[in-house]
Amino acid sequence: MPVSYGASKAILLIEPVGQPLRLPYEASYPSYKDTTPLGSLKIAPRVSKMHSYIQLLSTPTADTAGTAMILDVGQKRYMFGNIHEGLQRICIQRGSRLAKTTQIFVTGKTEWKNLGGLFGIILTIADATTGALQSAAESAKAKNVSEISKATAAKSEKSIKQDAEKAKIFSDAGLNPEDYIASPKNHGEPQVTRPTLTIHGGRNLTHTIATGRRFIFRKGMPIDVDEHVETESHTFTDDGRDPDWADDSIQVWKLPIEPSEEQYTAEISPSPPRKRAFDEFAGVDRPSRRNEEASISHSLTAEGVVCNDDELRKHVVSEMFNSQWRLDALIESPLKDVTMPALTWIRDPTTNKLERYYPPKEGPIPDIVVLVRQPWPGALVEKLPPTKPSVAAMSYIVRHYSQRGKFLPEKAKALNVHQLIFQALQNGATVKSQDGITVTPEMVLEPTRFGGGFAVVDLPSVSYVHNLLNRPEWTTPRIMDGLQAIIWNLGPGVAGDPALRAFIQQHDKLRHIVAAPDISPNYIALDSTAALVIRLNQIDSQRYPIPIHSNIAPLLSPCKGASKQESPGYIEAVRDYQLQLEPRLQVQEPPTKQPFLDTRRVLELAPKEVLQLAQDARSDIASRRLTDEPAGHNLPSQDAEIICLGTGSSAPSRYRNVSGTLLRVPGCGTYLFDCGEGTLGQLRRLYTPVALRAVLRDLKMIWISHMHADHHLGTASVIKTWYEANDGPANQSPDLDPVREEPIDLVKFLQQDRKLFVFGGIHIGRWLEEYSSVEDIGYSRLVCITTKPDKSPYSQDYSYIEWRGAQVGFQTRDESINEAMKRATGLANLATCYVDHCLGAQAISVKFPTGFKFSYSGDCRPSSRFVQMGRGSTVLVHEATFDDQMQNDAEAKKHSTMSEAVGVAQAMGAKRLILTHFSQRYQKIPDLSALDKIEVRFDDAEISSNEAEAVDVLDDPELMGIVTGSDQQTAEHQAVTPPRTKTGASVRSTPNTSHPSPASRNYDLKIAIAFDFLRVRVGDIADLEKFMPSLQRLFQISEAEEKAKAYDRPSAAAQRKKEEEKEKRKELRENQIGERREAKEQKGRKKRERRENFQPADNEVGGERSVGQSKAAGVDNRKPSSRRRWLDANGKEERMRMSEFCGGEEVTLGHTPSPEADPTAP
């Protein structure tokens, strides 16, 4: 049968006829998906020894929607499970290194719940692999130089003769000498090949990855997608079936599981009444999706090559990650052949320098040749062919190769096997002895041991259980021998299925590890963020709620406190759970104290100084409210609430999630501005399930500022959850009006309830449309509106809004459409403008009927058009990616500094400013000390549509953005200044000489620094400034905790206490040394005083006694310079000759000499 292989080498299990022995061999395999039969492969022996273990990275929680794990075999790593949103952040939090990961096996159905974090994981692996390859290239080059210096140019005659003798021995043993005699190496330039990342999964996996072609880009990162085809069939023999994929470490069998038709139909409630699509209202004949799919049999690639749909998707994925495209490459092309919009250049014939060329917007096209960048190939495919959802859920069985027994040299010698042939026998080859007897490996080896293995089973619902249990793999010895554990990733209610429990009891010799929403506790998965929010809650409990969590499972595990007879035979899956497979099975039992964040300890170790500063701030706020009017009493919509769901930039970190800001205006609706990966998880930490459903039912608009991955990858999950809360089969709302069968016009369609508007550039709508064919996320209930600021040159308060070719908006000529849009969105007006950042990047300003005006910058440099559009804003949320000291980085990457953001707010006349989107290098709080010395220049001028929508320039390969800067400037847009100043001046604030507080401005501008989980009312934003001293002090004290894990390393308070104890011990030791030194000096002083005060006896001649007399009297009359040390180093008595004192007699210290000693001896 044809077998698919996924690497250049793999190990086969060869079984001799009539023998149950399984021995691993190394085979040079053909390319992936090759159908070469096994018998035609070139076999070479090999020994495989390894250490491997499985480690769980995540289990189902609010932050992590599924279960993911890593299989580590030393030199390689394999990822299994759900590649859910937030997995990249979990790996950062847990310190999991992904550099060696070359295979990803996605379990479950092909849907966003299981694939939402795939793009982030791919980018993380690509960056880690790049660094590892650079290091490997340097090491390989150094090693190659060393080998060349040791290699000889030619062999000596003696070595040639020895090789000939060895060749004869191998030939006599029935072996090929070329396989065992080393040939001279060709020392050339060392080649370090970049490994290919292979992603395995179910149907539509390639389509899902290809939908990200407009915002995901990496060069030199080959990706191969092994997508299961539902028409594949496996042929089982008496020995089972061959693995679907294998390399030199593991072999993998796929288990695609489809639901039972009867159970699956019963699980799905009757579908809600079908809403009529816009095309039906407009009278447009549109084929059904199935007919549309059937009608498209071939597509064109970027090069114009005809291919089928699957080949087109694979081509797109290849261009996304392994393209040879270069940013600095310009090609010549006639202007008439250039697809607009695009950036073009011409070469000056006199200076031979490149100059920007701006084609005429109207009139005939000049017949000239221009230079243009070749567009990024992956983005040239305008639209992917549609697909249809797949219900198959992928599971896998993974096995290591069987390990041969220990070699017994005594038996080989007894069989008269030459010593040179021992290695061949160890590698599993059959040889001939010197007596001509055939010797097989089993004759000289101990019994073979089966390789360890495990299974990863993903069952979304009960309807999948029956087909899983009836798989023939469970009764195949070749697959099951050596299987040690099954890791179950179960949907709600599946763990209690009687058939599944019976299967677990039947296979009680296996270790069963279960992860499910109704079994796994909703513990805090991101410890660093939660610990930070808990400390912020101690400072300001009204604005920073503690994340919702529970360390207790929804259903108590039957394994806890139950007898052996009552135990279901499985254990709860917890993060960091490790299961060792090789060299022998070792199971780490669930710890008695699960690795959850100890929130009580975080609360207890809060610095008292910080708490006191926070108490002072609260007292100050309370006293001001009693004596003065609140700072925001005159602001419209004071009860409007701003919730910061993500305040970091580029990629998620331990402390900040990527962009996401929720605005709730009572009486109008809920609005989401940008929706980065993990936004839904942040919402689930802030609201209970009942409260979150109410929030989502009130959600009316999602705004996507630009198509960078950190700003929109959470959109699909939020939309699907909104759909389930409103129109999902299990959540059909009784208050929905029945759908009328008769056609209605556009105005009536916009007036219907439960519509979700998605505003942004054209690409966000296209991405959602392409992905909607993979799963039903509620796309039929979306109103994807494209904003085109370039068509509104006359007023900054007006934006041209388009929906499927028809103009809609708030200021159209059709007043009925205007009123319908206002009622459907809850807005009074909406305006956008292009900003200088990337392809189609826009800022937005929305106005509500209450007069409340909210402006949101997205990512951008300071923009004059944004200032004019947002004049008089009540609240401005502006990015402040870089510190003021990194001005050059901000300009190069087209972001703003904190001072520039404040300057924009001042120029706009905003009442309140919230700074967000901080660089992840600033983990905690930015420096606000320099915000009073602001000088901002607005040099973006007017960004034309030709510049803003150009698709041929990348400003940052990491972010895949398109440069939107413009060289054309007009006088009225060159600079913008604070209110009541002339256009063209710079923005300057009056320096505060008393105290550099951000509250001291030239008008009443209040500034707040945003952290994740901040919930603040518009009327309370001014109070946040009062807490700045306590926040700054908190981060000064807890700086040591930035790289520590909250549950297994001491906190800042404990670290301070430890350092204080160390200082005390040091001080005590110094005091003791000082006391000993002083005592020694005092003793020396007393001795010197005794010598100075010494008076000789009357019988001494010349005023001095003789030595003998002095000794006899017990008085030492020696001079200080002649004194000896009478004790040795250990303090013992030392026998010394004292001829000068005792007449040559040997005496012991402390004893007088004998009377026989001559008293007159010198």
Side-chain angles (χ1 to χ4, degrees):
M1 126 165 208
V3 182
S4 302
Y5 305 100
S8 59
K9 293 183 179 179
I11 294 179
L12 304 179
L13 298 180
I14 306 298
E15 292 193 7
V17 178
Q19 307 252 357
L21 181 66
R22 292 182 173 87
L23 299 175
Y25 290 82
E26 181 179 325
S28 298
Y29 281 0
S31 61
Y32 186 69
K33 286 289 182 183
D34 192 70
T35 57
T36 306
L38 297 180
S40 64
L41 299 178
K42 180 179 178 181
I43 304 299
R46 182 187 184 276
V47 177
S48 177
K49 295 181 181 179
M50 67 177 62
H51 292 262
S52 68
Y53 66 90
I54 308 168
Q55 180 178 2
L56 295 184
L57 298 176
S58 63
T59 58
T61 65
D63 300 311
T64 54
T67 304
M69 66 207 73
I70 284 286
L71 171 63
D72 193 322
V73 298
Q75 295 300 321
K76 294 181 181 179
R77 282 189 159 197
Y78 309 83
M79 183 174 288
F80 290 85
N82 306 137
I83 315 301
H84 50 74
E85 286 188 44
L87 183 58
Q88 178 188 15
R89 198 176 182 195
I90 288 295
C91 292
I92 297 173
Q93 174 70 57
R94 311 307 300 169
S96 300
R97 303 178 65 179
L98 303 179
K100 299 179 181 179
T101 305
T102 58
Q103 308 291 329
I104 298 177
F105 295 85
V106 183
T107 63
K109 298 167 60 177
T110 304
E111 57 185 6
W112 198 258
K113 172 180 174 292
N114 302 326
L115 292 171
L118 183 59
F119 291 120
I121 289 295
I122 290 175
L123 297 180
T124 302
I125 294 176
D127 295 340
T129 303
T130 300
L133 285 177
Q134 293 176 353
S135 177
E138 296 176 358
S139 300
K141 187 175 181 180
K143 182 179 179 180
N144 187 59
V145 173
S146 176
E147 290 180 353
I148 292 176
S149 63
K150 296 179 180 179
T152 56
K155 286 189 173 183
S156 63
E157 295 182 1
K158 184 178 179 180
S159 62
I160 294 176
K161 184 178 180 180
Q162 291 176 351
D163 288 348
E165 293 175 356
K166 293 179 182 179
K168 186 177 184 305
I169 294 174
F170 284 112
S171 298
D172 295 341
L175 301 174
N176 184 8
E178 297 180 356
D179 294 337
Y180 297 93
I181 300 178
S183 58
K185 295 182 179 180
N186 181 18
H187 297 277
E189 186 70 20
Q191 298 293 330
V192 179
T193 58
R194 179 179 289 271
T196 298
L197 176 63
T198 305
I199 305 173
H200 310 260
R203 187 171 174 268
N204 293 330
L205 177 60
T206 309
H207 183 95
T208 301
I209 299 175
T211 60
R213 65 193 181 278
R214 299 187 184 277
F215 53 87
I216 296 294
F217 176 79
R218 276 295 186 277
K219 292 179 62 177
M221 180 63 189
I223 285 186
D224 189 8
V225 181
D226 177 19
E227 183 176 305
H228 171 70
V229 181
E230 296 175 354
T231 58
E232 288 182 2
S233 61
H234 300 286
T235 303
F236 281 82
T237 62
D238 295 337
D239 190 39
R241 67 179 179 92
D242 295 317
D244 297 288
W245 183 89
D247 65 357
D248 57 353
S249 299
I250 63 173
Q251 45 192 347
V252 180
W253 286 264
K254 298 178 183 178
L255 300 181
I257 306 167
E258 295 190 359
S260 303
E261 185 174 354
E262 298 80 5
Q263 290 180 311
Y264 186 68
T265 305
E267 287 178 0
I268 303 177
S269 303
S271 301
R274 187 178 69 87
K275 307 295 184 181
R276 302 186 66 86
F278 168 76
D279 295 335
E280 298 177 80
F281 302 146
V284 179
D285 294 332
R286 184 177 182 181
S288 64
R289 187 169 298 279
R290 179 172 297 181
N291 294 335
E292 184 179 0
E293 180 183 2
S295 64
I296 302 178
S297 58
H298 294 83
S299 304
L300 288 176
T301 66
E303 291 79 10
V305 180
V306 178
C307 63
N308 60 38
D309 295 346
D310 291 336
E311 290 177 352
L312 173 65
R313 297 185 182 101
K314 291 180 179 179
H315 170 79
V316 170
V317 173
S318 176
E319 293 294 339
M320 288 171 62
F321 300 100
N322 197 28
S323 173
Q324 301 301 318
W325 179 85
R326 294 178 54 187
L327 175 64
D328 56 352
L330 297 177
I331 60 174
E332 291 186 348
S333 175
L335 181 60
K336 62 180 180 180
D337 296 337
V338 176
T339 302
M340 293 296 176
L343 301 180
T344 56
W345 289 263
I346 58 173
R347 192 176 297 277
D348 191 317
T350 58
T351 62
N352 204 29
K353 293 182 179 181
L354 291 179
E355 296 179 355
R356 282 292 309 278
Y357 175 75
Y358 300 95
K361 296 183 179 181
E362 299 178 356
I365 300 177
D367 187 13
I368 60 173
V369 176
V370 296
L371 293 171
V372 63
R373 284 193 175 98
Q374 184 178 4
W376 170 27
L380 284 180
V381 178
E382 186 66 20
K383 186 177 182 180
L384 292 177
T387 182
K388 58 181 180 180
S390 172
V391 296
M394 297 300 299
S395 300
Y396 303 94
I397 295 178
V398 185
R399 278 279 311 278
H400 286 299
Y401 294 98
S402 297
Q403 301 294 316
R404 65 177 58 87
K406 181 180 178 181
F407 179 70
L408 304 174
E410 295 80 8
K411 289 188 176 182
K413 292 178 181 179
L415 295 172
N416 200 17
V417 177
H418 195 282
Q419 189 173 358
L420 288 176
I421 312 301
F422 284 3
Q423 187 64 41
L425 280 171
Q426 293 181 35
N427 291 340
T430 300
V431 303
K432 290 183 179 181
S433 67
Q434 299 182 43
D435 299 333
I437 301 174
T438 301
V439 180
T440 59
E442 61 269 19
M443 298 170 64
V444 294
L445 295 175
E446 291 181 351
T448 301
R449 181 179 62 84
F450 293 113
F454 67 99
V456 183
V457 179
D458 195 304
L459 301 176
S461 65
V462 178
S463 60
Y464 289 81
V465 175
H466 180 268
N467 288 344
L468 167 74
L469 303 185
N470 291 332
R471 296 282 306 192
E473 287 84 358
W474 303 119
T475 57
T476 304
R478 178 183 176 183
I479 300 176
M480 294 296 294
D481 288 344
L483 199 69
Q484 299 160 317
I486 300 180
I487 301 175
W488 302 87
N489 186 22
L490 306 178
V494 181
D497 183 76
L500 183 61
R501 286 180 173 266
F503 178 86
I504 293 177
Q505 294 288 352
Q506 181 182 356
H507 296 81
D508 55 351
K509 294 183 178 180
L510 302 178
R511 178 69 57 170
H512 297 273
I513 306 163
V514 178
D518 47 8
I519 291 180
S520 303
N522 184 26
Y523 61 88
I524 290 177
L526 301 169
D527 298 348
S528 298
T529 300
L532 174 60
V533 175
I534 291 173
R535 291 192 177 98
L536 294 175
N537 174 267
Q538 292 181 283
I539 295 175
D540 189 1
S541 59
Q542 294 184 6
R543 258 74 67 173
Y544 290 99
I546 295 179
I548 297 173
H549 67 282
S550 174
N551 293 342
I552 303 175
L555 299 177
L556 293 180
S557 172
C559 293
K560 296 181 178 179
S563 64
K564 186 175 181 181
Q565 292 77 11
E566 297 173 349
S567 174
Y570 64 80
I571 59 177
E572 291 180 16
V574 294
R575 66 177 182 184
D576 294 338
Y577 182 94
Q578 288 189 7
L579 176 67
Q580 179 178 294
L581 302 176
E582 295 291 346
R584 61 184 181 276
L585 178 65
Q586 289 185 356
V587 179
Q588 175 187 344
E589 296 292 343
T592 55
K593 183 179 179 181
Q594 294 182 348
F596 300 141
L597 175 66
D598 191 349
T599 55
R600 180 176 298 178
R601 189 179 72 171
V602 176
L603 293 171
E604 292 174 351
L605 297 180
K608 295 182 179 179
E609 179 183 358
V610 174
L611 298 181
Q612 183 59 46
L613 290 173
Q615 181 61 36
D616 296 341
R618 287 192 289 269
S619 301
D620 187 13
I621 294 173
S623 61
R624 286 179 177 271
R625 289 182 177 178
L626 291 176
T627 58
D628 302 329
E629 293 183 346
H633 72 283
N634 57 347
L635 298 178
S637 297
Q638 299 179 38
D639 293 334
E641 188 178 29
I642 299 172
I643 301 101
C644 296
L645 304 175
T647 58
S649 66
S650 180
S653 71
R654 292 197 303 268
Y655 298 98
R656 296 183 184 271
N657 195 38
V658 289
S659 298
T661 302
L662 191 72
L663 173 65
R664 304 192 66 187
V665 182
C668 297
T670 302
Y671 309 85
L672 181 59
F673 295 85
D674 279 335
C675 187
E677 179 183 338
T679 297
L680 181 61
Q682 301 284 85
L683 287 169
R684 287 172 172 167
R685 290 297 186 194
L686 281 169
Y687 298 100
T688 63
V690 176
L692 178 59
R693 186 170 183 265
V695 171
L696 292 176
R697 288 174 63 85
D698 192 44
L699 183 63
K700 294 185 177 181
M701 184 191 82
I702 298 178
W703 162 256
I704 303 300
S705 61
H706 59 288
M707 287 298 289
H708 281 172
D710 60 320
H711 287 256
H712 79 279
L713 276 185
T715 310
S717 57
V718 171
I719 291 175
K720 185 174 182 179
T721 309
W722 171 88
Y723 177 61
E724 293 172 349
N726 287 277
D727 300 311
N731 298 313
Q732 177 62 32
S733 302
D735 57 342
L736 285 177
D737 296 333
V739 177
R740 310 172 190 176
E741 292 298 329
E742 68 274 10
I744 56 177
D745 59 15
L746 178 60
V747 174
K748 291 184 179 180
F749 176 77
L750 292 177
Q751 289 176 346
Q752 290 182 358
D753 293 334
R754 307 294 185 249
K755 290 292 188 301
L756 181 58
F757 291 81
V758 180
F759 286 83
I762 189 173
H763 296 303
I764 181 62
R766 291 178 178 177
W767 177 67
L768 291 172
E769 182 182 7
E770 288 183 351
Y771 180 75
S772 64
S773 63
V774 175
E775 66 169 317
D776 183 15
I777 61 173
Y779 181 77
S780 60
R781 301 304 308 275
L782 298 182
V783 183
C784 295
I785 293 182
T786 302
T787 57
K788 296 184 176 182
D790 59 291
K791 293 188 177 181
S792 54
Y794 303 106
S795 172
Q796 295 293 339
D797 294 331
Y798 169 78
S799 287
Y800 183 87
I801 299 176
E802 185 178 274
W803 182 34
R804 299 191 180 187
Q807 182 183 2
V808 295
F810 302 87
Q811 299 182 21
T812 65
R813 296 179 180 179
D814 191 340
E815 192 61 32
S816 61
I817 294 180
N818 299 339
E819 293 299 323
M821 284 289 295
K822 292 178 181 179
R823 284 192 296 266
T825 62
L827 302 175
N829 191 24
L830 180 148
T832 65
C833 68
Y834 286 121
V835 291
D836 187 10
H837 182 63
C838 72
L839 166 65
Q842 300 181 39
I844 188 174
S845 182
V846 293
K847 193 171 183 178
F848 294 86
T850 60
F852 174 65
K853 189 173 184 179
F854 180 85
S855 298
Y856 180 80
S857 69
D859 290 2
C860 65
R861 293 287 299 145
S863 170
S864 60
R865 298 193 69 181
F866 182 43
V867 167
Q868 295 181 7
M869 182 182 69
R871 284 197 185 280
S873 294
T874 310
V875 177
L876 167 64
V877 176
H878 202 286
E879 70 121 291
T881 306
F882 291 101
D883 199 304
D884 292 344
Q885 286 74 23
M886 304 188 69
Q887 180 69 36
N888 293 336
D889 289 345
E891 295 176 359
K893 296 187 177 182
K894 298 187 180 298
H895 286 288
S896 299
T897 65
M898 286 180 287
S899 291
E900 289 175 335
V902 175
V904 171
Q906 290 181 301
M908 188 180 290
K911 304 299 187 300
R912 301 291 183 265
L913 170 64
I914 298 179
L915 298 178
T916 184
H917 197 270
F918 298 104
S919 173
Q920 301 292 18
R921 72 186 66 189
Y922 310 119
Q923 303 293 354
K924 297 303 178 91
I925 191 170
D927 183 14
L928 301 179
S929 59
L931 291 187
D932 282 321
K933 300 177 181 179
I934 304 170
E935 182 175 352
V936 182
R937 294 187 59 84
F938 300 92
D939 49 20
D940 64 336
E942 180 181 357
I943 302 177
S944 64
S945 62
N946 197 38
E947 301 264 351
E949 297 182 359
V951 297
D952 58 347
V953 183
L954 290 179
D955 64 333
D956 190 343
E958 179 182 357
L959 300 178
M960 288 82 54
I962 307 300
V963 176
T964 59
S966 174
D967 295 331
Q968 294 178 339
Q969 296 185 0
T970 58
E972 61 177 343
H973 294 305
Q974 286 182 357
V976 179
T977 57
R980 301 180 184 178
T981 59
K982 185 178 180 180
T983 302
S986 298
V987 177
R988 295 181 181 271
S989 65
T990 305
N992 182 6
T993 57
S994 58
H995 186 273
S997 170
S1000 57
R1001 307 293 169 196
N1002 54 359
Y1003 72 102
D1004 189 20
L1005 173 64
K1006 304 298 182 181
I1007 301 177
I1009 302 297
F1011 295 91
D1012 288 10
F1013 296 103
L1014 170 65
R1015 296 181 59 178
V1016 58
R1017 295 171 58 253
V1018 171
D1020 296 338
I1021 294 178
D1023 296 340
L1024 293 176
E1025 287 189 345
K1026 302 296 182 181
F1027 294 98
M1028 286 304 299
S1030 57
L1031 291 176
Q1032 292 172 343
R1033 184 56 182 160
L1034 170 65
F1035 296 131
Q1036 291 174 359
I1037 295 176
S1038 62
E1039 184 178 1
E1041 284 190 343
E1042 291 184 356
K1043 297 182 179 180
K1045 296 179 181 178
Y1047 67 92
D1048 61 357
R1049 292 185 61 178
S1051 63
Q1055 189 69 21
R1056 291 197 309 274
K1057 184 177 180 180
K1058 184 177 179 181
E1059 292 175 357
E1060 291 173 358
E1061 293 176 353
K1062 184 178 179 181
E1063 290 294 330
K1064 289 181 180 179
R1065 290 194 300 268
K1066 183 179 179 181
E1067 183 180 358
L1068 179 62
R1069 186 165 58 252
E1070 292 176 352
N1071 292 338
Q1072 291 175 350
I1073 293 174
E1075 291 175 357
R1076 288 196 297 267
R1077 185 183 297 112
E1078 184 178 357
K1080 186 176 180 180
E1081 292 175 355
Q1082 185 177 3
K1083 185 177 180 180
R1085 287 195 299 269
K1086 289 182 179 180
K1087 288 182 179 180
R1088 288 193 296 271
E1089 290 176 359
R1090 286 199 302 268
R1091 295 192 194 102
E1092 294 173 357
N1093 298 330
F1094 174 73
Q1095 297 295 333
D1098 297 337
N1099 60 349
E1100 290 180 336
V1101 180
E1104 290 185 4
R1105 291 184 180 182
S1106 64
V1107 175
Q1109 291 174 343
S1110 299
K1111 285 291 182 182
V1115 179
D1116 188 0
N1117 193 30
R1118 295 171 296 174
K1119 295 180 180 180
S1121 60
S1122 64
R1123 294 183 62 86
R1124 299 280 196 270
R1125 181 177 180 86
W1126 297 102
L1127 297 180
D1128 61 8
N1130 296 324
K1132 297 181 180 179
E1133 291 183 346
E1134 184 179 15
R1135 300 181 65 84
M1136 302 184 61
R1137 291 192 176 274
M1138 303 176 58
S1139 57
E1140 64 272 28
F1141 302 116
C1142 304
E1145 182 182 2
E1146 185 175 342
V1147 298
T1148 303
L1149 181 66
H1151 292 80
T1152 58
S1154 62
E1156 293 78 9
D1158 186 3
T1160 61

